mmCIF file of all heavy atoms in Angstrom:
data_model
loop_
_atom_site.group_PDB
_atom_site.id
_atom_site.type_symbol
_atom_site.label_atom_id
_atom_site.label_comp_id
_atom_site.label_asym_id
_atom_site.label_seq_id
_atom_site.Cartn_x
_atom_site.Cartn_y
_atom_site.Cartn_z
ATOM 1 N N GLU A 1392 164.803 303.173 26.218
ATOM 2 C CA GLU A 1392 163.587 303.441 26.974
ATOM 3 C C GLU A 1392 163.405 302.431 28.099
ATOM 4 O O GLU A 1392 162.968 302.782 29.193
ATOM 5 C CB GLU A 1392 162.378 303.444 26.045
ATOM 6 C CG GLU A 1392 162.263 304.732 25.243
ATOM 7 C CD GLU A 1392 160.922 304.834 24.556
ATOM 8 O OE1 GLU A 1392 159.909 304.440 25.166
ATOM 9 O OE2 GLU A 1392 160.898 305.300 23.410
ATOM 10 N N HIS A 1393 163.718 301.176 27.837
ATOM 11 C CA HIS A 1393 163.645 300.178 28.903
ATOM 12 C C HIS A 1393 164.578 300.561 30.053
ATOM 13 O O HIS A 1393 164.229 300.408 31.226
ATOM 14 C CB HIS A 1393 164.028 298.793 28.359
ATOM 15 C CG HIS A 1393 162.925 298.101 27.626
ATOM 16 N ND1 HIS A 1393 161.786 297.651 28.258
ATOM 17 C CD2 HIS A 1393 162.778 297.806 26.312
ATOM 18 C CE1 HIS A 1393 160.988 297.089 27.363
ATOM 19 N NE2 HIS A 1393 161.563 297.169 26.173
ATOM 20 N N ASP A 1394 165.748 301.069 29.727
ATOM 21 C CA ASP A 1394 166.704 301.473 30.754
ATOM 22 C C ASP A 1394 166.166 302.641 31.574
ATOM 23 O O ASP A 1394 166.343 302.690 32.792
ATOM 24 C CB ASP A 1394 168.038 301.859 30.098
ATOM 25 C CG ASP A 1394 169.116 302.177 31.124
ATOM 26 O OD1 ASP A 1394 169.354 301.331 32.004
ATOM 27 O OD2 ASP A 1394 169.705 303.270 31.050
ATOM 28 N N VAL A 1395 165.491 303.572 30.901
ATOM 29 C CA VAL A 1395 164.911 304.715 31.613
ATOM 30 C C VAL A 1395 163.850 304.232 32.598
ATOM 31 O O VAL A 1395 163.823 304.659 33.762
ATOM 32 C CB VAL A 1395 164.301 305.726 30.623
ATOM 33 C CG1 VAL A 1395 163.575 306.840 31.383
ATOM 34 C CG2 VAL A 1395 165.377 306.324 29.725
ATOM 35 N N TYR A 1396 162.966 303.322 32.152
ATOM 36 C CA TYR A 1396 161.897 302.831 33.011
ATOM 37 C C TYR A 1396 162.420 301.927 34.136
ATOM 38 O O TYR A 1396 161.896 301.950 35.244
ATOM 39 C CB TYR A 1396 160.880 302.046 32.185
ATOM 40 C CG TYR A 1396 159.970 302.914 31.346
ATOM 41 C CD1 TYR A 1396 159.923 302.782 29.962
ATOM 42 C CD2 TYR A 1396 159.139 303.859 31.944
ATOM 43 C CE1 TYR A 1396 159.085 303.570 29.193
ATOM 44 C CE2 TYR A 1396 158.299 304.657 31.186
ATOM 45 C CZ TYR A 1396 158.275 304.503 29.805
ATOM 46 O OH TYR A 1396 157.453 305.283 29.059
ATOM 47 N N ASN A 1397 163.436 301.140 33.843
ATOM 48 C CA ASN A 1397 163.884 300.116 34.797
ATOM 49 C C ASN A 1397 165.015 300.557 35.713
ATOM 50 O O ASN A 1397 165.221 299.944 36.767
ATOM 51 C CB ASN A 1397 164.317 298.858 34.040
ATOM 52 C CG ASN A 1397 163.167 298.237 33.267
ATOM 53 O OD1 ASN A 1397 162.021 298.281 33.704
ATOM 54 N ND2 ASN A 1397 163.467 297.667 32.097
ATOM 55 N N ARG A 1398 165.729 301.620 35.336
ATOM 56 C CA ARG A 1398 166.871 302.044 36.153
ATOM 57 C C ARG A 1398 166.809 303.512 36.558
ATOM 58 O O ARG A 1398 166.876 303.852 37.747
ATOM 59 C CB ARG A 1398 168.188 301.787 35.397
ATOM 60 C CG ARG A 1398 169.439 302.187 36.192
ATOM 61 C CD ARG A 1398 170.696 301.956 35.373
ATOM 62 N NE ARG A 1398 170.725 302.723 34.140
ATOM 63 C CZ ARG A 1398 171.155 304.001 34.068
ATOM 64 N NH1 ARG A 1398 171.568 304.621 35.149
ATOM 65 N NH2 ARG A 1398 171.155 304.651 32.904
ATOM 66 N N VAL A 1399 166.645 304.399 35.568
ATOM 67 C CA VAL A 1399 166.742 305.837 35.849
ATOM 68 C C VAL A 1399 165.586 306.325 36.710
ATOM 69 O O VAL A 1399 165.790 306.948 37.763
ATOM 70 C CB VAL A 1399 166.812 306.647 34.535
ATOM 71 C CG1 VAL A 1399 166.876 308.140 34.846
ATOM 72 C CG2 VAL A 1399 168.015 306.227 33.701
ATOM 73 N N ILE A 1400 164.358 306.071 36.276
ATOM 74 C CA ILE A 1400 163.200 306.569 37.033
ATOM 75 C C ILE A 1400 163.110 305.930 38.417
ATOM 76 O O ILE A 1400 162.853 306.642 39.404
ATOM 77 C CB ILE A 1400 161.901 306.385 36.225
ATOM 78 C CG1 ILE A 1400 161.946 307.271 34.974
ATOM 79 C CG2 ILE A 1400 160.680 306.738 37.080
ATOM 80 C CD1 ILE A 1400 160.732 307.161 34.084
ATOM 81 N N PRO A 1401 163.326 304.616 38.586
ATOM 82 C CA PRO A 1401 163.331 304.066 39.955
ATOM 83 C C PRO A 1401 164.343 304.737 40.871
ATOM 84 O O PRO A 1401 164.081 304.922 42.071
ATOM 85 C CB PRO A 1401 163.678 302.587 39.732
ATOM 86 C CG PRO A 1401 163.134 302.278 38.379
ATOM 87 C CD PRO A 1401 163.388 303.523 37.577
ATOM 88 N N SER A 1402 165.492 305.135 40.338
ATOM 89 C CA SER A 1402 166.475 305.853 41.140
ATOM 90 C C SER A 1402 165.929 307.202 41.605
ATOM 91 O O SER A 1402 166.121 307.609 42.756
ATOM 92 C CB SER A 1402 167.760 306.052 40.336
ATOM 93 O OG SER A 1402 168.669 306.882 41.027
ATOM 94 N N LEU A 1403 165.206 307.883 40.709
ATOM 95 C CA LEU A 1403 164.615 309.171 41.077
ATOM 96 C C LEU A 1403 163.453 308.983 42.050
ATOM 97 O O LEU A 1403 163.236 309.820 42.941
ATOM 98 C CB LEU A 1403 164.145 309.901 39.816
ATOM 99 C CG LEU A 1403 165.255 310.295 38.832
ATOM 100 C CD1 LEU A 1403 164.661 310.915 37.572
ATOM 101 C CD2 LEU A 1403 166.240 311.263 39.480
#
Side-chain angles (χ1 to χ4, degrees):
E1392 282 192 39
H1393 280 292
D1394 185 53
V1395 174
Y1396 285 121
N1397 298 326
R1398 181 182 60 85
V1399 179
I1400 295 179
S1402 173
L1403 296 176

